Amino acid sequence: MSDTPFGFGLPPEEPENGDEGKKKDPAGGGQGSGGQGGNPFGANPFGFGGVPGMGGPGGADNPFAAMFGSLNPNDLGAAFQQLGQMLSYEGGPVNWDMAKQIARQVVAQGTSDGVKDASVGPAEKSAVEEAVRLADLWLDEVTPLPSGAGTAVAWSRAEWVEATLPAWQQLVDPVAERVGAAMGDVLPEEMQAMAGPLIGMMRSMGGAMFGQQIGQAVGALAGEVVGSTDVGLPLGPAGRAALLPLNIEAFGKDLGVPSDEVRLYLALREAAHQRLFAHVPWLRAHLFGAVEGYARGIKVDTSKLEEAVGQLDPTHPEQLQEALQQGMFQPEDTPEQKAALARLETALALVEGWVDAVVHEAAKSRLTSADALRETLRRRRASGGPAEQTFATLIGLELRPRRLRDAARLWASLTDARGVDGRDALWEHPDMLPTATDLDDPDGFVHREHLDFSELDKMLGEAAEGRSGDGGPSGDGGASGDGDEGKGDGAK
């Protein structure tokens, strides 16, 4: 993570000046961080007293010298601009404009191996389109779900950031909202009545703080992902299969596998995800709803937050940021929270397990490297990259399918026992899917008789028509349909 808190750091094109600015006045805010006189912010709540360069005896008349060191006028102007953006923010729990700006800056810096982002050329676009088109042809033979990719696109890292931010907003906002409320609640009750403006400033800073951190994480993740579904969730626009040629090249660099095979295997995975999300209409809401349900049960570790707020000092704003980086979220140890986590982990495992099984079936006889690529992707999803671990700290949740191998074995067994049609028919309704218990006993699930919801709907419809023919209410059939829909919504 960056050590330039709240967006005070300079753009990546000028790291030398930025480093110089951060190293000036390392002990700047000593007196503002204590808890003097019962005030958690110290005798001077903004930490300006007794700081060299802050006015008064022996000090210059520049009240911001300790905050910005000896930055030159241009650097100081940029810092003030970002400070103004931070304090004037009045939107939701995350300053997403700042998040996008910082993510773009991180992308512009390039990855740790020195590879910088680049626009996608015509040849790369054509190669991605051809790979997705061929992948869809292969998938037609192993699943009855039709193609879900209306278009195939090749993205740069910056384009991935722009396209996926709306999905990240849906994932992060519920947790950030809880933190924003907690930042005001940690003040002593006697202070809350007269600290309205301060609480508002703190929440603005909280929105900027999350924007900074999310921007850093999204920018870092843009250097790792190879498509729009790498984390098991549909992050991009619906119906658009997307691959990142630059990252695919980096992914396959040391595998000893021809680049066209790597691209095609990853296209198979992206196209399989797109089929599932396009033709299982309840799945997208089910997954995001599971994330939101888990987030509602997360509690903020107020002791860490109180400590950070008690030391809040404009000369050392990184203190509050560091508290967030270290993680201040704890799952509620309740049956409801455990059930929410189990639902989410099972849903992620079922999606990734189905993709793993279907892609392997399509590729095993066509790509000599299919087994090696499968194992590489499994390990990659099981361990997660640095950016994925960052999100685990920020939102208190690891978006990883912990039981991917168990789920893949279950889907493969279902294919053997029921064929591809019987296997994929389970996606028709959330109540038909395997549970966490079924992953423990896949053979029991495979050979168990399941309710056929299509037959049930048919029986209800016939019964409704019979009642209508006997003079009963003509709306009975509609009521039956609504009841089934209600059951589906509840399962979500």
Side-chain angles (χ1 to χ4, degrees):
M1 295 299 295
S2 169
D3 56 357
T4 54
F6 301 113
F8 288 155
L10 298 175
E13 290 76 12
E14 300 177 317
E16 295 83 7
N17 292 338
D19 289 341
E20 180 183 353
K22 285 183 290 184
K23 293 174 184 175
K24 297 295 181 182
D25 193 20
Q31 297 205 5
S33 58
Q36 303 173 11
N39 182 345
F41 297 104
N44 183 344
F46 294 101
F48 291 154
V51 179
M54 299 304 290
D61 292 328
N62 178 2
F64 298 102
M67 288 180 69
F68 301 117
S70 58
L71 297 175
N72 65 49
N74 290 335
D75 295 340
L76 187 60
F80 273 126
Q81 182 180 7
Q82 294 191 4
L83 176 62
Q85 290 175 353
M86 179 182 73
L87 296 180
S88 63
Y89 177 68
E90 297 179 352
V94 178
N95 188 333
W96 287 102
D97 290 336
M98 177 176 285
K100 180 167 74 170
Q101 175 187 356
I102 291 173
R104 295 292 298 262
Q105 290 178 357
V106 172
V107 166
Q109 275 184 309
T111 49
S112 58
D113 58 2
V115 177
K116 292 186 176 294
D117 194 22
S119 299
V120 179
E124 292 171 317
K125 292 180 180 179
S126 178
V128 166
E129 292 171 356
E130 180 61 29
V132 173
R133 185 162 46 246
L134 183 56
D136 264 333
L137 288 175
W138 291 4
L139 290 172
D140 284 340
E141 300 179 13
V142 295
T143 175
L145 298 180
S147 173
T151 57
V153 294
W155 282 342
S156 66
R157 293 167 179 170
E159 288 172 325
W160 183 90
V161 167
E162 295 279 352
T164 62
L165 272 178
W168 290 120
Q169 183 171 354
Q170 190 175 350
L171 285 170
V172 174
D173 271 352
V175 177
E177 190 170 356
R178 296 179 67 83
V179 177
M183 288 182 73
D185 295 341
V186 297
L187 287 175
E189 291 185 9
E190 61 272 15
M191 289 186 61
Q192 291 192 22
M194 56 184 177
L198 180 59
I199 292 176
M201 183 188 76
M202 289 170 60
R203 287 181 175 169
S204 294
M205 292 175 69
M209 177 177 65
F210 258 104
Q212 165 88 4
Q213 299 286 16
I214 295 300
Q216 290 280 352
V218 169
L221 195 57
E224 301 174 7
V225 296
V226 295
S228 71
T229 54
D230 278 31
V231 298
L233 299 171
L235 298 179
R240 188 173 300 176
L243 295 176
L244 283 71
L246 185 62
N247 292 357
I248 291 176
E249 181 181 354
F251 171 80
K253 183 178 180 181
D254 299 321
L255 296 181
V257 177
S259 59
D260 57 339
E261 286 198 21
V262 174
R263 185 192 308 112
L264 184 51
Y265 193 87
L266 296 175
L268 281 165
R269 289 183 53 83
E270 178 74 9
H273 277 103
Q274 294 296 335
R275 286 182 182 231
L276 202 55
F277 291 124
H279 300 292
V280 181
W282 53 266
L283 182 57
R284 182 183 297 258
H286 181 77
L287 285 170
F288 279 92
V291 173
E292 186 175 351
Y294 180 80
R296 281 196 300 267
I298 291 176
K299 66 179 180 182
V300 178
D301 186 348
T302 54
S303 63
K304 285 187 178 181
L305 191 56
E306 285 174 1
E307 180 182 356
V309 172
Q311 297 175 354
L312 183 63
D313 180 354
T315 64
H316 291 290
E318 68 275 6
Q319 293 168 344
L320 191 58
Q321 185 183 12
E322 287 171 356
L324 180 66
Q325 285 179 292
Q326 294 167 4
M328 57 178 68
F329 309 115
Q330 299 175 346
E332 290 279 9
D333 190 19
T334 64
E336 292 79 10
Q337 180 68 354
K338 291 178 179 178
L341 179 60
R343 283 194 300 271
L344 177 58
E345 291 183 342
T346 301
L348 286 171
L350 290 175
V351 169
E352 291 296 279
W354 183 87
V355 169
D356 179 274
V358 167
V359 167
H360 183 68
E361 186 67 23
K364 65 181 181 181
S365 62
R366 295 181 171 99
L367 298 179
T368 56
S369 57
D371 289 334
L373 289 170
R374 183 190 202 188
E375 186 59 29
T376 299
L377 266 297
R378 280 181 166 185
R379 292 179 179 178
R380 190 173 191 254
R381 285 296 285 124
S383 60
E388 211 169 319
Q389 294 163 9
T390 296
F391 277 109
T393 300
L394 288 175
I395 66 176
L397 176 66
E398 293 178 345
L399 297 174
R400 278 189 260 150
R402 298 181 182 276
R403 307 193 64 181
L404 186 155
R405 294 176 187 269
D406 294 336
R409 281 194 292 268
L410 187 147
W411 288 117
S413 297
L414 282 168
T415 305
D416 294 337
R418 305 185 186 182
V420 295
D421 291 322
R423 176 198 67 199
D424 292 351
L426 296 179
W427 290 108
E428 291 178 2
H429 196 283
D431 288 349
M432 298 175 68
L433 286 178
T435 65
T437 303
D438 295 324
L439 294 180
D440 295 329
D441 181 22
D443 290 336
F445 178 84
V446 167
H447 299 293
R448 188 186 312 152
E449 291 295 330
H450 287 268
L451 286 175
D452 187 336
F453 280 83
S454 62
E455 288 297 321
L456 180 60
D457 289 341
K458 181 180 177 182
M459 292 169 59
L460 291 173
E462 291 175 350
E465 289 176 3
R467 287 196 299 272
S468 178
D470 292 338
S474 60
D476 282 355
S480 298
D482 290 344
D484 188 60
E485 287 180 10
K487 181 163 55 178
D489 291 342
K492 295 177 190 176

